[in-house]
Amino acid sequence: MIHLEVLPGIENATLIDRDHHQVSRSKISPNALKVLYKLTAAGFCAYLVGGSVRDLLLGLQPKDFDIASNATPEDLRKLFRNSRIIGRRFKIVHIRYGREIIEVTTFRAHHDARNQISDDVSRRKIRGLDSAHSSAGMILRDNVYGNIDEDALRRDFTVNALYYTLDKFRILDFTGGMDDLKHKKIRIIGDPAARYREDPVRMLRAIRFAAKLGFTIEQGTKAPIDELAHLLESISPARLFDETLKIITSGHVVKIFALLLEFKVSKYLFGPTVTALKTAGDTERKLVDLALQNTDSRLAEGKSVTPYFLFAALLWPGLRQRLAADSAAENSYSSFQQAANDSLREQLDYTAIPKRFTIAAKEIWELQLRIEKHNRRSIESTFGHPRFRAAYDFLLLREEAGEQLNSLGQWWTDFQIADTKRRTEMIGLVSNPGARRRRKRKPSSDTA
Ligand code: ATP
Ligand code: MG
């Protein structure tokens, strides 16, 4: 083990002893502990860092466990058979244990520009350093990799830059993260505007963490967001999709959306939705709100969420407006297809969406048509469609949002719980192919 006392950069840290923090080893993933111990035994230093330390200090269950080390990606590859180097500009090593992945990064110097030298040059440097490092087992000093204090300073927020070490189970704080944690503050490290310019996604991360942790964004960290939000236009749709996924699955999407609106950032992620909602009716607004609420409550109940469902809801107001503007669309399947494709394509300029999700969102929309205008022939096939359940949930959401759909949701609810005989009866009561369904659930309200 490299003891802290001789770790380069350590002089810049405040050390918090085990008696003064509540991180307990028992809450750390055994696989993360395995990696920490193995690296230490091989003569490297290794720390738990980032969200896991932050969440453990807050008494929350971390989503994943990230480790920072002075071992290079190549060292890690040699040490862990179950590892894989990912990323090109920033190499990260994934160590896989079944379904769990422990992510290990090598200490990096603060300034990203150091890492932005061409791939060739950086690769040469890494290779050169690799051998020197492997034999010495010492902290790297280089233009690419840095010491632990530099690694801390290149992280985004103070509460994300706390390091936990198995060496006397201490926490290392280089940026005042412990204090900010105590006061529930998201504070960016360094000059806020400069750090956002370096990576505009940090603005989204500030908002996400504030919502997720119930923290406030410190004044200086908040101030430049308004002016710099437009820099998000330069971020690739693929990266913005990754960020969107984290937002959707955070369990706090309602709050995040409210903050995104407040900071005028929404339009860089969900441009078409923001535009459509400006002129949308109450039911469409409500549908979006309900879909967001549903997402959070499903996660709170330990259920899974399907991002395509939320995308289907977010793009629904725009789709409806497109259909309304095209008088032929109402009755023509191909105009509907066109409108659906255009709605999705428009969103793809903002966030990428994997094809399987766009297909699923389109299926939800198409099934709305089939569910609405169902006829005898199509009932069974609609019901047997792999996306039926999602489409049915979507239908219920539309009704809950105030759309008048002639108790269709109830009809489908009854149909699902009915036995085969009753189903056949229900189908028999539906009007002829091509015509609208006539029968409602209760005979007393049986109107056309
Ligand atoms: P969670 O995993 O709960 O969403 P996290 O803080 O662990 O939160 P990750 O995206 O897993 O977030 O990143 C791990 C750590 O890497 C962060 O805590 C932070 O220290 C650093 N980091 C991640 N993204 C950035 C960024 N864009 N700029 C600077 N540092 C970052
Ligand atoms: Mg993490």
Side-chain angles (χ1 to χ4, degrees):
M1 176 177 282
I2 296 178
H3 285 289
L4 284 187
E5 287 66 24
V6 297
L7 183 69
I10 196 69
E11 63 279 6
N12 294 317
T14 303
L15 302 183
I16 296 105
D17 283 330
R18 66 191 302 186
D19 304 341
H20 292 93
H21 66 75
Q22 62 268 42
V23 173
S24 126
R25 246 180 317 168
S26 64
K27 297 277 165 33
I28 301 172
S29 135
N31 295 323
L33 286 173
K34 223 180 279 174
V35 175
L36 290 171
Y37 280 123
K38 193 162 174 179
L39 277 167
T40 314
F44 296 103
C45 51
Y47 301 86
L48 206 59
V49 69
S52 53
V53 180
R54 178 197 71 215
D55 290 351
L56 288 169
L57 284 166
L58 292 169
L60 304 169
Q61 183 53 43
K63 221 174 63 209
D64 44 41
F65 292 85
D66 296 321
I67 287 172
S69 171
N70 63 342
T72 63
E74 287 74 12
D75 294 329
L76 292 159
R77 272 293 296 126
K78 279 182 216 148
L79 212 52
F80 297 92
R81 279 191 16 244
N82 48 337
S83 67
R84 211 157 67 90
I85 298 179
I86 59 156
R88 251 160 43 96
R89 217 182 68 191
F90 297 131
K91 286 188 184 177
I92 291 171
V93 174
H94 278 179
I95 306 178
R96 181 180 280 281
Y97 295 93
R99 292 181 65 185
E100 186 178 15
I101 290 175
I102 306 294
E103 195 168 291
V104 189
T105 52
T106 306
F107 293 148
R108 292 203 189 98
H110 167 59
H111 203 273
D112 287 356
R114 291 200 199 176
N115 285 333
Q116 277 164 5
I117 40 180
S118 81
D119 268 328
D120 262 335
V121 178
S122 72
R123 258 201 297 276
R124 258 201 317 276
K125 287 199 167 150
I126 291 165
R127 255 202 306 274
L129 276 164
D130 203 18
S131 53
H133 169 254
S134 298
S135 52
M138 286 296 294
I139 297 266
L140 293 166
R141 284 179 193 282
D142 180 73
N143 286 336
V144 178
Y145 296 133
N147 291 334
I148 188 167
D149 56 338
E150 293 176 290
D151 188 77
L153 294 179
R154 68 101 201 166
R155 290 179 183 273
D156 47 8
F157 307 106
T158 59
V159 293
N160 284 350
L162 294 163
Y163 297 71
Y164 174 80
T165 166
L166 296 175
D167 179 8
K168 299 186 189 144
F169 311 110
R170 289 183 287 195
I171 283 178
L172 278 62
D173 181 2
F174 296 89
T175 63
M178 287 300 274
D179 217 38
D180 286 333
L181 207 68
K182 202 165 88 194
H183 295 105
K184 296 177 173 284
K185 288 239 174 300
I186 299 293
R187 183 194 306 273
I188 201 157
I189 297 168
D191 175 63
R195 297 304 310 283
Y196 291 141
R197 284 209 176 84
E198 243 172 49
D199 181 5
V201 169
R202 288 173 186 149
M203 292 183 268
L204 298 176
R205 288 175 61 86
I207 289 170
R208 176 160 59 87
F209 290 130
K212 178 181 148 174
L213 305 170
F215 280 26
T216 51
I217 305 178
E218 176 270 332
Q219 198 49 42
T221 304
K222 186 160 49 174
I225 295 183
D226 201 13
E227 202 183 311
L228 298 180
H230 69 94
L231 294 175
L232 286 164
E233 283 171 350
S234 64
I235 304 298
S236 74
R239 188 154 178 230
L240 290 182
F241 176 72
D242 289 346
E243 215 34 56
T244 303
L245 257 196
K246 289 182 189 172
I247 290 172
I248 292 175
T249 56
S250 67
H252 301 273
V253 71
V254 169
K255 208 159 160 198
I256 296 178
F257 264 63
L259 285 176
L260 289 173
L261 267 179
E262 185 187 327
F263 287 102
K264 302 193 181 74
V265 174
S266 315
K267 59 176 185 244
Y268 302 106
L269 282 181
F270 306 108
T273 306
V274 172
T275 308
L277 286 180
K278 278 186 190 143
T279 54
D282 284 349
T283 51
E284 268 125 29
R285 278 169 195 285
K286 186 110 189 273
L287 178 109
V288 169
D289 286 346
L290 286 172
L292 294 171
Q293 285 167 29
N294 257 11
T295 307
D296 283 347
S297 44
R298 282 187 67 91
L299 287 164
E301 290 162 23
K303 294 183 188 160
S304 63
V305 295
T306 42
Y308 59 76
F309 187 88
L310 192 56
F311 273 110
L314 289 171
L315 299 176
W316 181 252
L319 173 66
R320 293 301 285 255
Q321 286 168 8
R322 275 201 162 84
L323 291 171
D326 175 2
S327 55
E330 179 71 15
N331 297 312
S332 135
Y333 184 67
S334 66
S335 327
F336 177 83
Q337 284 274 341
Q338 185 68 45
N341 286 340
D342 289 348
S343 298
L344 287 163
R345 201 169 303 127
E346 201 183 15
Q347 177 61 31
L348 293 177
D349 286 341
Y350 295 80
T351 62
I353 310 177
K355 199 148 191 171
R356 64 182 194 283
F357 289 170
T358 58
I359 290 171
K362 242 175 86 175
E363 284 172 339
I364 289 179
W365 293 336
E366 282 167 13
L367 282 167
Q368 299 307 299
L369 287 186
R370 281 165 60 174
I371 279 178
E372 272 182 53
K373 297 189 171 177
H374 71 71
N375 56 50
R376 284 181 201 173
R377 270 202 314 235
S378 68
I379 289 174
E380 291 288 0
S381 69
T382 301
F383 185 54
H385 194 286
R387 214 63 73 192
F388 170 78
R389 185 70 210 193
Y392 163 73
D393 286 345
F394 199 84
L395 173 72
L396 294 187
L397 215 59
R398 288 171 61 198
E399 287 193 331
E400 200 185 338
E403 247 191 275
Q404 292 306 319
L405 294 168
N406 230 357
S407 304
L408 258 181
Q410 188 60 55
W411 192 91
W412 281 103
T413 306
D414 294 344
F415 187 78
Q416 286 174 81
I417 53 176
D419 58 19
T420 320
K421 185 165 159 276
R422 176 71 191 134
R423 277 187 191 162
T424 313
E425 276 169 24
M426 287 178 80
I427 293 173
L429 289 168
V430 168
S431 61
N432 289 330
R436 273 182 186 272
R437 178 181 59 82
R438 285 173 182 276
R439 182 153 177 99
K440 277 191 175 180
R441 188 172 64 105
K442 290 183 194 141
S444 59
S445 59
D446 191 9
T447 48

